[in-house]
PDB file of all heavy atoms in Angstrom:
ATOM      1  N   ARG A 447     -40.942-150.353   0.701  1.00 97.00           N
ATOM      2  CA  ARG A 447     -40.236-149.075   0.602  1.00 97.00           C
ATOM      3  C   ARG A 447     -41.148-148.000   0.002  1.00 97.00           C
ATOM      4  O   ARG A 447     -42.031-148.293  -0.795  1.00 97.00           O
ATOM      5  CB  ARG A 447     -38.993-149.211  -0.275  1.00 97.00           C
ATOM      6  CG  ARG A 447     -37.969-150.196   0.251  1.00 97.00           C
ATOM      7  CD  ARG A 447     -36.739-150.223  -0.636  1.00 97.00           C
ATOM      8  NE  ARG A 447     -35.808-151.283  -0.254  1.00 97.00           N
ATOM      9  CZ  ARG A 447     -34.643-151.497  -0.843  1.00 97.00           C
ATOM     10  NH1 ARG A 447     -34.271-150.728  -1.860  1.00 97.00           N
ATOM     11  NH2 ARG A 447     -33.867-152.480  -0.434  1.00 97.00           N
ATOM     12  N   VAL A 448     -40.916-146.774   0.408  1.00 97.00           N
ATOM     13  CA  VAL A 448     -41.635-145.644  -0.189  1.00 97.00           C
ATOM     14  C   VAL A 448     -41.009-145.332  -1.539  1.00 97.00           C
ATOM     15  O   VAL A 448     -39.792-145.161  -1.647  1.00 97.00           O
ATOM     16  CB  VAL A 448     -41.586-144.407   0.725  1.00 97.00           C
ATOM     17  CG1 VAL A 448     -42.285-143.224   0.054  1.00 97.00           C
ATOM     18  CG2 VAL A 448     -42.229-144.705   2.069  1.00 97.00           C
ATOM     19  N   ARG A 449     -41.849-145.266  -2.581  1.00 97.00           N
ATOM     20  CA  ARG A 449     -41.358-145.001  -3.933  1.00 97.00           C
ATOM     21  C   ARG A 449     -42.127-143.839  -4.547  1.00 97.00           C
ATOM     22  O   ARG A 449     -43.345-143.717  -4.365  1.00 97.00           O
ATOM     23  CB  ARG A 449     -41.498-146.236  -4.820  1.00 97.00           C
ATOM     24  CG  ARG A 449     -40.731-147.447  -4.299  1.00 97.00           C
ATOM     25  CD  ARG A 449     -40.913-148.660  -5.205  1.00 97.00           C
ATOM     26  NE  ARG A 449     -40.291-149.844  -4.627  1.00 97.00           N
ATOM     27  CZ  ARG A 449     -39.010-150.183  -4.791  1.00 97.00           C
ATOM     28  NH1 ARG A 449     -38.224-149.407  -5.537  1.00 97.00           N
ATOM     29  NH2 ARG A 449     -38.521-151.276  -4.226  1.00 97.00           N
ATOM     30  N   HIS A 450     -41.402-143.002  -5.272  1.00 97.00           N
ATOM     31  CA  HIS A 450     -42.029-141.929  -6.039  1.00 97.00           C
ATOM     32  C   HIS A 450     -42.394-142.501  -7.403  1.00 97.00           C
ATOM     33  O   HIS A 450     -41.526-142.922  -8.153  1.00 97.00           O
ATOM     34  CB  HIS A 450     -41.066-140.748  -6.191  1.00 97.00           C
ATOM     35  CG  HIS A 450     -41.653-139.596  -6.943  1.00 97.00           C
ATOM     36  ND1 HIS A 450     -41.243-139.247  -8.201  1.00 97.00           N
ATOM     37  CD2 HIS A 450     -42.640-138.724  -6.604  1.00 97.00           C
ATOM     38  CE1 HIS A 450     -41.928-138.192  -8.617  1.00 97.00           C
ATOM     39  NE2 HIS A 450     -42.781-137.863  -7.671  1.00 97.00           N
ATOM     40  N   GLU A 451     -43.692-142.505  -7.733  1.00 94.00           N
ATOM     41  CA  GLU A 451     -44.157-143.224  -8.925  1.00 94.00           C
ATOM     42  C   GLU A 451     -44.580-142.318 -10.072  1.00 94.00           C
ATOM     43  O   GLU A 451     -44.903-142.824 -11.153  1.00 94.00           O
ATOM     44  CB  GLU A 451     -45.317-144.155  -8.562  1.00 94.00           C
ATOM     45  CG  GLU A 451     -44.922-145.290  -7.654  1.00 94.00           C
ATOM     46  CD  GLU A 451     -46.007-146.329  -7.510  1.00 94.00           C
ATOM     47  OE1 GLU A 451     -47.205-145.976  -7.609  1.00 94.00           O
ATOM     48  OE2 GLU A 451     -45.665-147.498  -7.274  1.00 94.00           O
ATOM     49  N   GLY A 452     -44.603-141.014  -9.865  1.00 93.00           N
ATOM     50  CA  GLY A 452     -44.990-140.173 -10.987  1.00 93.00           C
ATOM     51  C   GLY A 452     -45.201-138.726 -10.600  1.00 93.00           C
ATOM     52  O   GLY A 452     -45.368-138.387  -9.420  1.00 93.00           O
ATOM     53  N   PHE A 453     -45.182-137.878 -11.626  1.00 94.00           N
ATOM     54  CA  PHE A 453     -45.357-136.433 -11.454  1.00 94.00           C
ATOM     55  C   PHE A 453     -46.234-135.936 -12.590  1.00 94.00           C
ATOM     56  O   PHE A 453     -46.001-136.264 -13.760  1.00 94.00           O
ATOM     57  CB  PHE A 453     -43.986-135.744 -11.492  1.00 94.00           C
ATOM     58  CG  PHE A 453     -44.052-134.257 -11.657  1.00 94.00           C
ATOM     59  CD1 PHE A 453     -44.192-133.428 -10.561  1.00 94.00           C
ATOM     60  CD2 PHE A 453     -43.967-133.679 -12.919  1.00 94.00           C
ATOM     61  CE1 PHE A 453     -44.254-132.049 -10.716  1.00 94.00           C
ATOM     62  CE2 PHE A 453     -44.022-132.313 -13.090  1.00 94.00           C
ATOM     63  CZ  PHE A 453     -44.164-131.497 -11.980  1.00 94.00           C
ATOM     64  N   TRP A 454     -47.259-135.149 -12.254  1.00 94.00           N
ATOM     65  CA  TRP A 454     -48.164-134.602 -13.255  1.00 94.00           C
ATOM     66  C   TRP A 454     -48.489-133.150 -12.907  1.00 94.00           C
ATOM     67  O   TRP A 454     -48.269-132.718 -11.761  1.00 94.00           O
ATOM     68  CB  TRP A 454     -49.474-135.413 -13.300  1.00 94.00           C
ATOM     69  CG  TRP A 454     -49.240-136.845 -13.594  1.00 94.00           C
ATOM     70  CD1 TRP A 454     -49.139-137.449 -14.800  1.00 94.00           C
ATOM     71  CD2 TRP A 454     -49.052-137.895 -12.629  1.00 94.00           C
ATOM     72  NE1 TRP A 454     -48.901-138.804 -14.663  1.00 94.00           N
ATOM     73  CE2 TRP A 454     -48.836-139.092 -13.340  1.00 94.00           C
ATOM     74  CE3 TRP A 454     -49.043-137.923 -11.233  1.00 94.00           C
ATOM     75  CZ2 TRP A 454     -48.629-140.308 -12.701  1.00 94.00           C
ATOM     76  CZ3 TRP A 454     -48.817-139.126 -10.586  1.00 94.00           C
ATOM     77  CH2 TRP A 454     -48.621-140.307 -11.310  1.00 94.00           C
ATOM     78  N   GLN A 455     -49.036-132.442 -13.872  1.00 93.00           N
ATOM     79  CA  GLN A 455     -49.423-131.052 -13.634  1.00 93.00           C
ATOM     80  C   GLN A 455     -50.841-130.830 -14.126  1.00 93.00           C
ATOM     81  O   GLN A 455     -51.198-131.206 -15.256  1.00 93.00           O
ATOM     82  CB  GLN A 455     -48.482-130.075 -14.331  1.00 93.00           C
ATOM     83  CG  GLN A 455     -48.734-128.615 -13.948  1.00 93.00           C
ATOM     84  CD  GLN A 455     -47.579-127.724 -14.332  1.00 93.00           C
ATOM     85  OE1 GLN A 455     -46.823-128.011 -15.254  1.00 93.00           O
ATOM     86  NE2 GLN A 455     -47.427-126.611 -13.626  1.00 93.00           N
ATOM     87  N   LYS A 456     -51.660-130.226 -13.271  1.00 91.00           N
ATOM     88  CA  LYS A 456     -53.038-129.923 -13.616  1.00 91.00           C
ATOM     89  C   LYS A 456     -53.104-128.616 -14.409  1.00 91.00           C
ATOM     90  O   LYS A 456     -52.177-127.797 -14.355  1.00 91.00           O
ATOM     91  CB  LYS A 456     -53.883-129.817 -12.339  1.00 91.00           C
ATOM     92  CG  LYS A 456     -53.941-131.111 -11.533  1.00 91.00           C
ATOM     93  CD  LYS A 456     -54.652-130.927 -10.205  1.00 91.00           C
ATOM     94  CE  LYS A 456     -56.109-130.584 -10.393  1.00 91.00           C
ATOM     95  NZ  LYS A 456     -56.824-130.527  -9.090  1.00 91.00           N
ATOM     96  N   PRO A 457     -54.183-128.391 -15.137  1.00 91.00           N
ATOM     97  CA  PRO A 457     -54.309-127.158 -15.936  1.00 91.00           C
ATOM     98  C   PRO A 457     -54.185-125.873 -15.118  1.00 91.00           C
ATOM     99  O   PRO A 457     -53.743-124.850 -15.641  1.00 91.00           O
ATOM    100  CB  PRO A 457     -55.708-127.286 -16.554  1.00 91.00           C
ATOM    101  CG  PRO A 457     -55.959-128.755 -16.620  1.00 91.00           C
ATOM    102  CD  PRO A 457     -55.304-129.322 -15.399  1.00 91.00           C
ATOM    103  N   ASP A 458     -54.553-125.910 -13.833  1.00 92.00           N
ATOM    104  CA  ASP A 458     -54.470-124.703 -13.012  1.00 92.00           C
ATOM    105  C   ASP A 458     -53.080-124.471 -12.430  1.00 92.00           C
ATOM    106  O   ASP A 458     -52.878-123.549 -11.632  1.00 92.00           O
ATOM    107  CB  ASP A 458     -55.507-124.736 -11.887  1.00 92.00           C
ATOM    108  CG  ASP A 458     -55.248-125.861 -10.876  1.00 92.00           C
ATOM    109  OD1 ASP A 458     -54.256-126.605 -11.041  1.00 92.00           O
ATOM    110  OD2 ASP A 458     -56.048-125.994  -9.939  1.00 92.00           O
TER     111      ASP A 458
END
Side-chain angles (χ1 to χ4, degrees):
R447 299 183 187 182
V448 177
R449 300 179 186 273
H450 181 250
E451 293 190 330
F453 166 86
W454 302 273
Q455 188 164 26
K456 298 174 65 175
D458 65 1

